[in-house]
Amino acid sequence: MKIAVIYGGTSAEREVSLNSGRAILQALSSYGYEVCGMDVDQTLFDELKRYQPDLVFLGLHGRLGEDGAIQGALEILGIPYVGSAVLSSALAMDKVMTKRILRPLGIPLADDRVYVSHRAPEEDQVERMMDDILSHLTLPVIVKPNREGSTFGLTLATTESLLKQGIRQAFAHDDSILVESYIRGMEVTVVVVGTARDAQNPPRVLGTIEIIPKAEVYDYESKYGMNGSEHIIPARLPEELLSQVETYALTAYTELGCRDYGRVDFMVGENGPVLLEVNTLPGMTATSLVPDAARAAGLSFEALIDQLVSQAYQRAHP
């Protein structure tokens, strides 16, 4: 089987994507697949046409990679791929849309405010946003771009000064931003494999991980720096609470129509779990959570990649 691994791209997560792509390439090569790595630029589709892969494995993260854009192009080209399809990818990348879909299901979500500006907001706009935030939420709050990953543009605003700074920083990454109540507690992620509404390969929990970041928040350095965080599998939660978190994760993954693999992030505070976001193409680097969950489940990273390839290929060739 010929497999193209697409990585890199132009999002803020380019470096993470390059590392994920290299790890995926190495894993596929170890299983004897014929592989070719491809960066995302204007020559990508010509390169795909020349190589004519049987399957694409996406090592992309962030916008124009994880948001359904590349997936849509692959659908047009008729090339099957590992990972969630166009709609699921687009919905999960948009945190506001994710919350609109999940809130009616009774999944706990943080209180929030959403703001849009198609250019850098003027000082008076920022002041109006701050007034609105402070009238609805209590500091500290989390300020983040609506459609960005790896905590790029995220600020934990404990003061009004940091809130103003966070608003400007978030708008530097996206034209819509999300401001949420800060939940203090245990950071937990649930790694899910399988495909929504597929009786042959239904979604199941591969592992639930407790994350102990060295920083106050699970930021970029905590995620990708060596020893930036400690991962404990399974998360040290009471059995009933662990089951509740995993049920919420499976519900969110299924409702968004995700397939193959993904990650659902939570904060577990004094009032219970709160879902943060759903990742349809989570990191596959040496410090990433999905490989950790696989190892804890007795599955090597290479074997996991092979399983994902087999499932995606069989879906395309029933």
Side-chain angles (χ1 to χ4, degrees), residues 126-140:
V126 174
E127 292 292 341
R128 286 197 297 272
M129 290 177 197
M130 289 181 60
D131 289 343
D132 185 68
I133 292 165
L134 295 171
S135 67
H136 289 89
L137 305 175
T138 302
L139 295 179

Side-chain angles (χ1 to χ4, degrees), residues 206-234:
L206 184 64
T208 300
I209 307 173
E210 175 185 346
I211 303 163
I212 305 175
K214 295 297 187 284
E216 187 172 1
V217 293
Y218 189 44
D219 57 12
Y220 183 86
E221 187 58 35
S222 298
K223 288 184 177 183
Y224 301 111
M226 293 306 295
N227 302 315
S229 62
E230 182 183 356
H231 302 164
I232 298 174
I233 312 172

Side-chain angles (χ1 to χ4, degrees), residues 267-295:
M267 286 296 297
V268 182
E270 59 182 12
N271 295 319
V274 173
L275 189 147
L276 301 179
E277 61 181 286
V278 178
N279 301 274
T280 54
L281 287 178
M284 291 289 198
T285 71
T287 59
S288 293
L289 295 155
V290 173
D292 273 2
R295 283 189 289 269

Side-chain angles (χ1 to χ4, degrees), residues 256-272:
L256 291 173
C258 301
R259 70 184 189 193
D260 294 338
Y261 72 111
R263 210 186 71 221
V264 187
D265 299 338
F266 295 85
M267 286 296 297
V268 182
E270 59 182 12
N271 295 319

Side-chain angles (χ1 to χ4, degrees), residues 19-95:
N19 290 334
S20 286
R22 293 183 190 114
I24 294 166
L25 278 168
Q26 186 174 355
L28 290 169
S29 296
S30 74
Y31 266 77
Y33 293 108
E34 181 182 336
V35 295
C36 179
M38 300 181 185
D39 203 337
V40 177
D41 58 27
Q42 293 180 343
T43 69
L44 174 63
F45 302 116
D46 290 333
E47 197 171 353
L48 282 168
K49 290 175 185 176
R50 280 195 300 270
Y51 187 62
Q52 295 188 332
D54 299 299
L55 186 75
V56 163
F57 202 119
L58 294 167
L60 293 165
H61 309 306
R63 281 182 289 183
L64 299 181
E66 194 171 353
D67 61 359
I70 292 292
Q71 290 84 347
L74 293 173
E75 296 280 358
I76 292 170
L77 292 173
I79 304 174
Y81 53 92
V82 175
S84 292
V86 178
L87 180 60
S88 303
S89 301
L91 289 173
M93 192 68 193
D94 190 312
K95 299 176 184 66

